[in-house]
Amino acid sequence: QVQLTESGGGLGQAGGSLRLSCTASGLPFESSAMGWFRQTPEKEREGVSCISPYGGTAYTDPFYGRFTLSRDNAKKTTYLQMNSLKPEDTAIYYCAAIVACAEHFLKDPWRTFRHWGQGTQVTVSS
């Protein structure tokens, strides 16, 4: 059974930083592309970033230069470092195992995902 467990969400301040983690079990993490997506009540789920099994990354435009995704295969964990936070970053953030990592895959989350985590809430105050 695949499990993806997110942690690190919570309350942040505008201009500040938060780091989200996603720990996987039940899948061959070392050979899995992984991604982060987010969703608000007003918007559909959107792609944030992804990372290939070899560490190559992709980001959608709003997050390029502010967010950094990395992975530790020994810990079966990905880390999403979020800097320069904005109130509009407030959302539920979901970790996912995905088909492959590329920007066009991030733009079509429901065709890209293989497994979702349960999500972690991030709230950014102004």
Side-chain angles (χ1 to χ4, degrees), residues 60-80:
T60 51
D61 283 344
F63 312 104
Y64 189 81
R66 294 196 301 128
F67 292 7
T68 302
L69 183 58
S70 60
R71 65 190 296 156
D72 184 333
N73 287 342
K75 296 182 178 179
K76 297 187 177 182
T77 299
T78 65
Y79 303 98
L80 183 66

Side-chain angles (χ1 to χ4, degrees), residues 11-57:
L11 181 63
Q13 292 189 332
S17 299
L18 285 173
R19 190 177 79 158
L20 305 183
S21 300
C22 171
T23 300
S25 62
L27 79 165
F29 183 82
E30 297 79 2
S31 59
S32 297
M34 303 294 294
W36 282 91
F37 300 79
R38 72 181 192 181
Q39 188 166 8
T40 67
E42 297 78 26
K43 294 179 67 174
E44 295 183 357
R45 195 164 298 191
E46 63 176 343
V48 175
S49 180
C50 61
I51 188 165
S52 75
Y54 308 105
T57 55

Side-chain angles (χ1 to χ4, degrees), residues 8-20 38-40 63 66-67 80-93 120-126:
L11 181 63
Q13 292 189 332
S17 299
L18 285 173
R19 190 177 79 158
L20 305 183
R38 72 181 192 181
Q39 188 166 8
T40 67
F63 312 104
R66 294 196 301 128
F67 292 7
L80 183 66
Q81 179 67 43
M82 305 188 297
N83 297 330
S84 302
L85 287 168
K86 304 175 182 179
E88 50 264 45
D89 292 323
T90 296
I92 299 175
Y93 285 73
T120 186
Q121 176 71 48
V122 170
T123 303
V124 181
S125 62
S126 58

